[in-house]
Amino acid sequence: MTKKSEWKKFIVSLIVIALVLAFVLVFYSGIDIIPDNSQPTMTEENIRLELSNEGVLSVSETHNLKFSNRGREWYNYYKVIDTSGYDTYLPTSSLSMRVDGEDYPVVEGLRLDYMNESEYSKYYGNSYITKLSSSKYEIGVIMPKFTKGERSIEFNYTLAPIVTSYSDV
């Protein structure tokens, strides 16, 4: 064997070792080479809370979101409110939602998971509330379809009564 062929084998071996090390580092260190675009990225969240003398909690949440191209179009964004452990409810009359400053009227009882595209497309530009159980509510917005972009979504709601008595300290 010549020195030249030994040298080539050595270089190929180094390259293979470097590739194996790179593979191990990437896949076992938690580094995201391929980002998960199945969920929007929240770039900013603002929450305002106000508790009245009657024990009613008014909540205003603004979610600034970045939606990435995930291979299918976006149309829905929602959150679940869990009131377990509280003797409270979420009055529909207190609910309002906006997307990029535009009011989205509230429709009660929609279950998007049971609808096909032709059914839910009738609700573009609306928001909704669905009671999932005795203590869980889903509130969300149904936007016209888009592939990527940024949206500002505002949820306004009250929980009544969240506080039933104040202790005298």
Short mmCIF file of all heavy atoms in Angstrom, two decimals, residues 66-119:
data_model
loop_
_atom_site.label_atom_id
_atom_site.label_comp_id
_atom_site.label_asym_id
_atom_site.label_seq_id
_atom_site.Cartn_x
_atom_site.Cartn_y
_atom_site.Cartn_z
N LYS A 66 -46.68 34.55 15.96
CA LYS A 66 -46.07 34.34 14.64
C LYS A 66 -46.46 32.94 14.18
O LYS A 66 -46.14 31.96 14.84
CB LYS A 66 -44.56 34.48 14.71
CG LYS A 66 -43.90 34.33 13.36
CD LYS A 66 -42.41 34.53 13.46
CE LYS A 66 -41.81 34.40 12.07
NZ LYS A 66 -40.38 34.62 12.08
N PHE A 67 -47.16 32.87 13.07
CA PHE A 67 -47.58 31.61 12.48
C PHE A 67 -46.62 31.29 11.35
O PHE A 67 -46.46 32.08 10.43
CB PHE A 67 -49.01 31.71 11.93
CG PHE A 67 -50.05 31.90 12.99
CD1 PHE A 67 -50.37 33.17 13.46
CD2 PHE A 67 -50.73 30.81 13.50
CE1 PHE A 67 -51.34 33.35 14.43
CE2 PHE A 67 -51.71 30.98 14.47
CZ PHE A 67 -52.02 32.24 14.94
N SER A 68 -45.96 30.15 11.42
CA SER A 68 -45.00 29.73 10.39
C SER A 68 -45.69 28.80 9.40
O SER A 68 -46.72 28.20 9.69
CB SER A 68 -43.83 28.99 11.03
OG SER A 68 -43.15 29.85 11.92
N ASN A 69 -45.08 28.67 8.25
CA ASN A 69 -45.61 27.77 7.23
C ASN A 69 -45.44 26.34 7.72
O ASN A 69 -44.35 25.87 7.95
CB ASN A 69 -44.86 27.97 5.91
CG ASN A 69 -45.51 27.23 4.77
OD1 ASN A 69 -46.37 26.37 4.97
ND2 ASN A 69 -45.12 27.57 3.57
N ARG A 70 -46.55 25.63 7.90
CA ARG A 70 -46.51 24.26 8.43
C ARG A 70 -46.97 23.23 7.41
O ARG A 70 -47.22 22.09 7.76
CB ARG A 70 -47.34 24.16 9.69
CG ARG A 70 -48.82 24.43 9.46
CD ARG A 70 -49.60 24.24 10.71
NE ARG A 70 -51.02 24.54 10.47
CZ ARG A 70 -51.95 24.31 11.34
NH1 ARG A 70 -51.67 23.79 12.51
NH2 ARG A 70 -53.20 24.60 11.06
N GLY A 71 -47.15 23.65 6.17
CA GLY A 71 -47.57 22.71 5.14
C GLY A 71 -49.07 22.63 4.96
O GLY A 71 -49.56 21.98 4.06
N ARG A 72 -49.82 23.27 5.84
CA ARG A 72 -51.27 23.40 5.68
C ARG A 72 -51.67 24.75 6.27
O ARG A 72 -50.94 25.34 7.05
CB ARG A 72 -52.03 22.25 6.33
CG ARG A 72 -51.79 22.09 7.81
CD ARG A 72 -52.42 20.80 8.33
NE ARG A 72 -51.94 20.53 9.65
CZ ARG A 72 -52.68 20.65 10.75
NH1 ARG A 72 -53.93 21.01 10.67
NH2 ARG A 72 -52.18 20.38 11.93
N GLU A 73 -52.84 25.22 5.91
CA GLU A 73 -53.21 26.58 6.28
C GLU A 73 -53.71 26.67 7.73
O GLU A 73 -54.21 25.71 8.30
CB GLU A 73 -54.31 27.07 5.33
CG GLU A 73 -53.81 27.19 3.90
CD GLU A 73 -54.90 27.60 2.94
OE1 GLU A 73 -55.88 26.84 2.84
OE2 GLU A 73 -54.74 28.64 2.32
N TRP A 74 -53.52 27.84 8.31
CA TRP A 74 -54.01 28.16 9.64
C TRP A 74 -55.42 28.75 9.52
O TRP A 74 -55.72 29.40 8.54
CB TRP A 74 -53.13 29.21 10.31
CG TRP A 74 -51.73 28.80 10.55
CD1 TRP A 74 -50.67 29.01 9.72
CD2 TRP A 74 -51.21 28.11 11.68
NE1 TRP A 74 -49.51 28.50 10.28
CE2 TRP A 74 -49.83 27.95 11.49
CE3 TRP A 74 -51.78 27.62 12.85
CZ2 TRP A 74 -49.01 27.32 12.41
CZ3 TRP A 74 -50.96 26.99 13.77
CH2 TRP A 74 -49.60 26.85 13.55
N TYR A 75 -56.25 28.56 10.50
CA TYR A 75 -57.55 29.21 10.50
C TYR A 75 -58.10 29.42 11.91
O TYR A 75 -59.03 30.17 12.10
CB TYR A 75 -58.57 28.40 9.68
CG TYR A 75 -58.92 27.08 10.30
CD1 TYR A 75 -59.97 26.95 11.20
CD2 TYR A 75 -58.16 25.94 10.02
CE1 TYR A 75 -60.26 25.73 11.79
CE2 TYR A 75 -58.46 24.73 10.59
CZ TYR A 75 -59.51 24.62 11.48
OH TYR A 75 -59.79 23.42 12.06
N ASN A 76 -57.54 28.74 12.91
CA ASN A 76 -58.13 28.74 14.24
C ASN A 76 -57.05 28.93 15.30
O ASN A 76 -55.97 28.38 15.20
CB ASN A 76 -58.85 27.39 14.43
CG ASN A 76 -59.42 27.21 15.82
OD1 ASN A 76 -59.04 26.30 16.53
ND2 ASN A 76 -60.34 28.06 16.20
N TYR A 77 -57.39 29.73 16.30
CA TYR A 77 -56.53 29.87 17.47
C TYR A 77 -57.45 29.89 18.68
O TYR A 77 -58.46 30.61 18.69
CB TYR A 77 -55.69 31.15 17.40
CG TYR A 77 -54.77 31.32 18.58
CD1 TYR A 77 -53.63 30.54 18.71
CD2 TYR A 77 -55.05 32.24 19.59
CE1 TYR A 77 -52.78 30.68 19.80
CE2 TYR A 77 -54.20 32.38 20.67
CZ TYR A 77 -53.07 31.61 20.78
OH TYR A 77 -52.24 31.74 21.86
N TYR A 78 -57.11 29.12 19.72
CA TYR A 78 -58.00 29.02 20.87
C TYR A 78 -57.21 28.83 22.15
O TYR A 78 -56.02 28.57 22.14
CB TYR A 78 -58.98 27.86 20.69
CG TYR A 78 -58.33 26.51 20.72
CD1 TYR A 78 -58.23 25.79 21.90
CD2 TYR A 78 -57.80 25.94 19.56
CE1 TYR A 78 -57.62 24.54 21.94
CE2 TYR A 78 -57.19 24.70 19.58
CZ TYR A 78 -57.11 24.01 20.77
OH TYR A 78 -56.49 22.79 20.80
N LYS A 79 -57.92 28.96 23.27
CA LYS A 79 -57.36 28.66 24.57
C LYS A 79 -58.45 27.98 25.39
O LYS A 79 -59.63 28.16 25.13
CB LYS A 79 -56.83 29.91 25.26
CG LYS A 79 -57.89 30.91 25.68
CD LYS A 79 -57.31 32.07 26.45
CE LYS A 79 -57.09 31.63 27.86
NZ LYS A 79 -56.02 32.10 28.59
N VAL A 80 -58.03 27.20 26.37
CA VAL A 80 -58.96 26.52 27.27
C VAL A 80 -58.86 27.18 28.64
O VAL A 80 -57.75 27.40 29.15
CB VAL A 80 -58.67 25.01 27.36
CG1 VAL A 80 -59.55 24.34 28.40
CG2 VAL A 80 -58.86 24.36 26.00
N ILE A 81 -60.01 27.51 29.20
CA ILE A 81 -60.07 28.10 30.54
C ILE A 81 -60.65 27.03 31.46
O ILE A 81 -61.75 26.54 31.24
CB ILE A 81 -60.95 29.37 30.54
CG1 ILE A 81 -60.35 30.41 29.60
CG2 ILE A 81 -61.09 29.92 31.96
CD1 ILE A 81 -61.25 31.58 29.32
N ASP A 82 -59.88 26.68 32.47
CA ASP A 82 -60.28 25.64 33.42
C ASP A 82 -60.62 26.30 34.75
O ASP A 82 -59.75 26.92 35.37
CB ASP A 82 -59.14 24.63 33.59
CG ASP A 82 -59.55 23.43 34.41
OD1 ASP A 82 -60.66 23.42 34.99
OD2 ASP A 82 -58.76 22.48 34.47
N THR A 83 -61.87 26.19 35.18
CA THR A 83 -62.30 26.80 36.44
C THR A 83 -62.44 25.76 37.55
O THR A 83 -63.11 26.01 38.55
CB THR A 83 -63.64 27.55 36.25
OG1 THR A 83 -64.63 26.61 35.82
CG2 THR A 83 -63.51 28.66 35.24
N SER A 84 -61.81 24.60 37.37
CA SER A 84 -61.87 23.54 38.40
C SER A 84 -61.39 24.10 39.74
O SER A 84 -60.40 24.81 39.81
CB SER A 84 -60.96 22.36 38.02
OG SER A 84 -61.34 21.80 36.82
N GLY A 85 -62.10 23.75 40.77
CA GLY A 85 -61.71 24.20 42.11
C GLY A 85 -62.30 25.55 42.48
O GLY A 85 -62.09 26.03 43.59
N TYR A 86 -63.00 26.19 41.56
CA TYR A 86 -63.64 27.48 41.84
C TYR A 86 -65.13 27.34 41.58
O TYR A 86 -65.55 26.67 40.64
CB TYR A 86 -63.09 28.58 40.93
CG TYR A 86 -61.63 28.84 41.10
CD1 TYR A 86 -60.70 28.25 40.25
CD2 TYR A 86 -61.17 29.66 42.12
CE1 TYR A 86 -59.34 28.48 40.41
CE2 TYR A 86 -59.81 29.89 42.29
CZ TYR A 86 -58.91 29.29 41.42
OH TYR A 86 -57.57 29.51 41.59
N ASP A 87 -65.94 27.97 42.40
CA ASP A 87 -67.39 27.99 42.18
C ASP A 87 -67.68 29.22 41.33
O ASP A 87 -68.16 30.24 41.81
CB ASP A 87 -68.11 28.05 43.53
CG ASP A 87 -69.61 27.89 43.35
OD1 ASP A 87 -70.04 27.38 42.30
OD2 ASP A 87 -70.35 28.29 44.28
N THR A 88 -67.33 29.12 40.05
CA THR A 88 -67.43 30.26 39.16
C THR A 88 -67.87 29.82 37.78
O THR A 88 -67.91 28.63 37.48
CB THR A 88 -66.07 31.00 39.08
OG1 THR A 88 -66.24 32.22 38.38
CG2 THR A 88 -65.01 30.17 38.39
N TYR A 89 -68.21 30.76 36.94
CA TYR A 89 -68.57 30.46 35.56
C TYR A 89 -68.07 31.58 34.67
O TYR A 89 -67.64 32.64 35.13
CB TYR A 89 -70.09 30.26 35.42
CG TYR A 89 -70.89 31.51 35.69
CD1 TYR A 89 -71.34 32.31 34.64
CD2 TYR A 89 -71.19 31.91 36.99
CE1 TYR A 89 -72.07 33.46 34.88
CE2 TYR A 89 -71.91 33.06 37.24
CZ TYR A 89 -72.36 33.83 36.18
OH TYR A 89 -73.07 34.98 36.41
N LEU A 90 -68.12 31.35 33.38
CA LEU A 90 -67.67 32.33 32.40
C LEU A 90 -68.91 32.81 31.63
O LEU A 90 -69.40 32.10 30.76
CB LEU A 90 -66.68 31.67 31.44
CG LEU A 90 -65.82 32.59 30.57
CD1 LEU A 90 -64.55 31.86 30.18
CD2 LEU A 90 -66.53 33.07 29.36
N PRO A 91 -69.45 33.98 32.00
CA PRO A 91 -70.66 34.46 31.31
C PRO A 91 -70.35 34.82 29.85
O PRO A 91 -69.43 35.57 29.57
CB PRO A 91 -71.09 35.69 32.10
CG PRO A 91 -70.05 35.95 33.11
CD PRO A 91 -69.03 34.87 33.05
N THR A 92 -71.15 34.27 28.95
CA THR A 92 -70.95 34.52 27.52
C THR A 92 -71.11 36.00 27.20
O THR A 92 -70.43 36.52 26.32
CB THR A 92 -71.95 33.69 26.70
OG1 THR A 92 -71.80 32.33 27.08
CG2 THR A 92 -71.70 33.82 25.23
N SER A 93 -71.97 36.68 27.93
CA SER A 93 -72.21 38.10 27.66
C SER A 93 -70.96 38.95 27.89
O SER A 93 -70.84 40.05 27.35
CB SER A 93 -73.35 38.62 28.53
OG SER A 93 -73.02 38.47 29.90
N SER A 94 -70.01 38.43 28.68
CA SER A 94 -68.80 39.19 28.98
C SER A 94 -67.70 38.96 27.95
O SER A 94 -66.65 39.58 28.00
CB SER A 94 -68.27 38.79 30.35
OG SER A 94 -67.66 37.50 30.29
N LEU A 95 -67.93 38.06 27.01
CA LEU A 95 -66.88 37.60 26.11
C LEU A 95 -66.78 38.48 24.86
O LEU A 95 -67.77 38.79 24.22
CB LEU A 95 -67.19 36.16 25.70
CG LEU A 95 -66.16 35.39 24.91
CD1 LEU A 95 -64.87 35.24 25.70
CD2 LEU A 95 -66.71 34.02 24.57
N SER A 96 -65.55 38.86 24.52
CA SER A 96 -65.30 39.52 23.24
C SER A 96 -63.89 39.15 22.79
O SER A 96 -63.00 38.95 23.62
CB SER A 96 -65.45 41.04 23.34
OG SER A 96 -64.41 41.61 24.09
N MET A 97 -63.72 39.02 21.48
CA MET A 97 -62.42 38.66 20.94
C MET A 97 -62.15 39.48 19.69
O MET A 97 -63.07 39.82 18.95
CB MET A 97 -62.36 37.16 20.63
CG MET A 97 -62.32 36.33 21.89
SD MET A 97 -62.36 34.58 21.58
CE MET A 97 -64.06 34.23 21.94
N ARG A 98 -60.88 39.79 19.49
CA ARG A 98 -60.46 40.58 18.34
C ARG A 98 -59.21 39.99 17.72
O ARG A 98 -58.38 39.43 18.42
CB ARG A 98 -60.18 42.01 18.77
CG ARG A 98 -61.38 42.71 19.36
CD ARG A 98 -60.96 43.82 20.27
NE ARG A 98 -60.30 44.89 19.56
CZ ARG A 98 -60.47 46.15 19.82
NH1 ARG A 98 -61.28 46.51 20.78
NH2 ARG A 98 -59.82 47.06 19.15
N VAL A 99 -59.11 40.14 16.41
CA VAL A 99 -57.90 39.75 15.69
C VAL A 99 -57.42 40.98 14.95
O VAL A 99 -58.16 41.58 14.17
CB VAL A 99 -58.17 38.60 14.69
CG1 VAL A 99 -56.93 38.28 13.89
CG2 VAL A 99 -58.68 37.37 15.43
N ASP A 100 -56.18 41.39 15.23
CA ASP A 100 -55.58 42.58 14.63
C ASP A 100 -56.50 43.79 14.75
O ASP A 100 -56.66 44.57 13.82
CB ASP A 100 -55.21 42.31 13.17
CG ASP A 100 -54.13 41.25 13.03
OD1 ASP A 100 -53.31 41.11 13.97
OD2 ASP A 100 -54.11 40.55 12.00
N GLY A 101 -57.15 43.93 15.93
CA GLY A 101 -58.01 45.08 16.21
C GLY A 101 -59.42 44.96 15.68
O GLY A 101 -60.26 45.81 15.95
N GLU A 102 -59.75 43.91 14.94
CA GLU A 102 -61.09 43.73 14.37
C GLU A 102 -61.92 42.83 15.28
O GLU A 102 -61.48 41.73 15.65
CB GLU A 102 -60.97 43.11 12.98
CG GLU A 102 -62.29 42.89 12.29
CD GLU A 102 -62.14 42.19 10.95
OE1 GLU A 102 -61.06 42.27 10.34
OE2 GLU A 102 -63.10 41.54 10.52
N ASP A 103 -63.12 43.31 15.65
CA ASP A 103 -64.01 42.50 16.49
C ASP A 103 -64.49 41.27 15.75
O ASP A 103 -64.87 41.34 14.58
CB ASP A 103 -65.24 43.32 16.92
CG ASP A 103 -64.89 44.36 17.96
OD1 ASP A 103 -64.04 44.07 18.83
OD2 ASP A 103 -65.46 45.47 17.91
N TYR A 104 -64.47 40.13 16.44
CA TYR A 104 -64.98 38.87 15.91
C TYR A 104 -66.20 38.49 16.74
O TYR A 104 -66.06 38.14 17.92
CB TYR A 104 -63.90 37.77 16.02
CG TYR A 104 -62.94 37.69 14.86
CD1 TYR A 104 -62.43 38.84 14.26
CD2 TYR A 104 -62.54 36.47 14.37
CE1 TYR A 104 -61.55 38.75 13.19
CE2 TYR A 104 -61.66 36.37 13.30
CZ TYR A 104 -61.18 37.52 12.72
OH TYR A 104 -60.31 37.42 11.66
N PRO A 105 -67.42 38.58 16.19
CA PRO A 105 -68.63 38.26 16.95
C PRO A 105 -68.58 36.84 17.52
O PRO A 105 -68.03 35.92 16.91
CB PRO A 105 -69.76 38.37 15.92
CG PRO A 105 -69.19 39.12 14.77
CD PRO A 105 -67.71 38.92 14.80
N VAL A 106 -69.19 36.66 18.70
CA VAL A 106 -69.14 35.37 19.41
C VAL A 106 -70.30 34.47 18.98
O VAL A 106 -71.45 34.89 18.95
CB VAL A 106 -69.20 35.59 20.94
CG1 VAL A 106 -69.20 34.26 21.67
CG2 VAL A 106 -68.05 36.46 21.39
N VAL A 107 -69.96 33.22 18.67
CA VAL A 107 -70.94 32.18 18.38
C VAL A 107 -70.80 31.15 19.49
O VAL A 107 -69.70 30.73 19.81
CB VAL A 107 -70.67 31.51 17.00
CG1 VAL A 107 -71.66 30.39 16.74
CG2 VAL A 107 -70.71 32.54 15.88
N GLU A 108 -71.93 30.76 20.09
CA GLU A 108 -71.87 29.81 21.20
C GLU A 108 -71.95 28.37 20.73
O GLU A 108 -72.67 28.05 19.78
CB GLU A 108 -73.02 30.06 22.17
CG GLU A 108 -72.88 31.36 22.94
CD GLU A 108 -73.99 31.53 23.96
OE1 GLU A 108 -74.15 30.63 24.81
OE2 GLU A 108 -74.67 32.56 23.88
N GLY A 109 -71.18 27.49 21.38
CA GLY A 109 -71.32 26.05 21.22
C GLY A 109 -70.69 25.43 19.98
O GLY A 109 -70.99 24.28 19.67
N LEU A 110 -69.81 26.13 19.27
CA LEU A 110 -69.17 25.53 18.10
C LEU A 110 -68.19 24.45 18.52
O LEU A 110 -67.45 24.62 19.48
CB LEU A 110 -68.40 26.58 17.30
CG LEU A 110 -69.20 27.55 16.45
CD1 LEU A 110 -68.26 28.46 15.69
CD2 LEU A 110 -70.12 26.84 15.49
N ARG A 111 -68.16 23.34 17.81
CA ARG A 111 -67.18 22.28 18.02
C ARG A 111 -66.46 22.06 16.70
O ARG A 111 -66.89 21.26 15.87
CB ARG A 111 -67.84 20.99 18.49
CG ARG A 111 -68.42 21.03 19.89
CD ARG A 111 -67.39 21.26 20.97
NE ARG A 111 -66.34 20.29 21.02
CZ ARG A 111 -66.23 19.33 21.92
NH1 ARG A 111 -67.12 19.20 22.86
NH2 ARG A 111 -65.21 18.50 21.88
N LEU A 112 -65.36 22.79 16.48
CA LEU A 112 -64.65 22.70 15.22
C LEU A 112 -64.09 21.32 14.95
O LEU A 112 -63.93 20.92 13.80
CB LEU A 112 -63.51 23.72 15.18
CG LEU A 112 -63.93 25.19 15.23
CD1 LEU A 112 -62.71 26.08 15.13
CD2 LEU A 112 -64.92 25.53 14.15
N ASP A 113 -63.79 20.56 16.02
CA ASP A 113 -63.23 19.24 15.82
C ASP A 113 -64.23 18.27 15.18
O ASP A 113 -63.84 17.21 14.71
CB ASP A 113 -62.68 18.67 17.13
CG ASP A 113 -63.62 18.81 18.31
OD1 ASP A 113 -64.59 19.59 18.22
OD2 ASP A 113 -63.37 18.16 19.34
N TYR A 114 -65.50 18.64 15.15
CA TYR A 114 -66.52 17.80 14.51
C TYR A 114 -66.95 18.34 13.14
O TYR A 114 -67.87 17.82 12.54
CB TYR A 114 -67.76 17.67 15.40
CG TYR A 114 -67.48 17.00 16.72
CD1 TYR A 114 -67.71 17.65 17.91
CD2 TYR A 114 -66.95 15.71 16.77
CE1 TYR A 114 -67.46 17.03 19.13
CE2 TYR A 114 -66.69 15.09 17.97
CZ TYR A 114 -66.95 15.75 19.15
OH TYR A 114 -66.68 15.14 20.34
N MET A 115 -66.31 19.40 12.67
CA MET A 115 -66.71 20.02 11.41
C MET A 115 -65.69 19.77 10.31
O MET A 115 -64.50 19.67 10.58
CB MET A 115 -66.82 21.54 11.59
CG MET A 115 -67.92 21.99 12.47
SD MET A 115 -67.95 23.80 12.45
CE MET A 115 -69.21 24.10 13.64
N ASN A 116 -66.18 19.72 9.08
CA ASN A 116 -65.26 19.69 7.95
C ASN A 116 -65.07 21.12 7.44
O ASN A 116 -65.70 22.06 7.93
CB ASN A 116 -65.78 18.75 6.83
CG ASN A 116 -67.10 19.21 6.26
OD1 ASN A 116 -67.35 20.40 6.09
ND2 ASN A 116 -67.97 18.25 5.96
N GLU A 117 -64.20 21.30 6.47
CA GLU A 117 -63.84 22.63 6.02
C GLU A 117 -65.03 23.44 5.51
O GLU A 117 -65.15 24.63 5.80
CB GLU A 117 -62.77 22.55 4.92
CG GLU A 117 -62.30 23.91 4.47
CD GLU A 117 -61.19 23.84 3.44
OE1 GLU A 117 -60.66 22.75 3.19
OE2 GLU A 117 -60.86 24.89 2.89
N SER A 118 -65.94 22.82 4.78
CA SER A 118 -67.08 23.59 4.26
C SER A 118 -67.98 24.06 5.39
O SER A 118 -68.63 25.10 5.27
CB SER A 118 -67.86 22.76 3.24
OG SER A 118 -68.49 21.66 3.87
N GLU A 119 -68.02 23.34 6.51
CA GLU A 119 -68.84 23.76 7.64
C GLU A 119 -68.20 24.90 8.42
O GLU A 119 -68.83 25.91 8.70
CB GLU A 119 -69.11 22.58 8.58
CG GLU A 119 -69.99 21.52 7.97
CD GLU A 119 -70.10 20.27 8.83
OE1 GLU A 119 -69.06 19.80 9.34
OE2 GLU A 119 -71.22 19.78 8.98
#
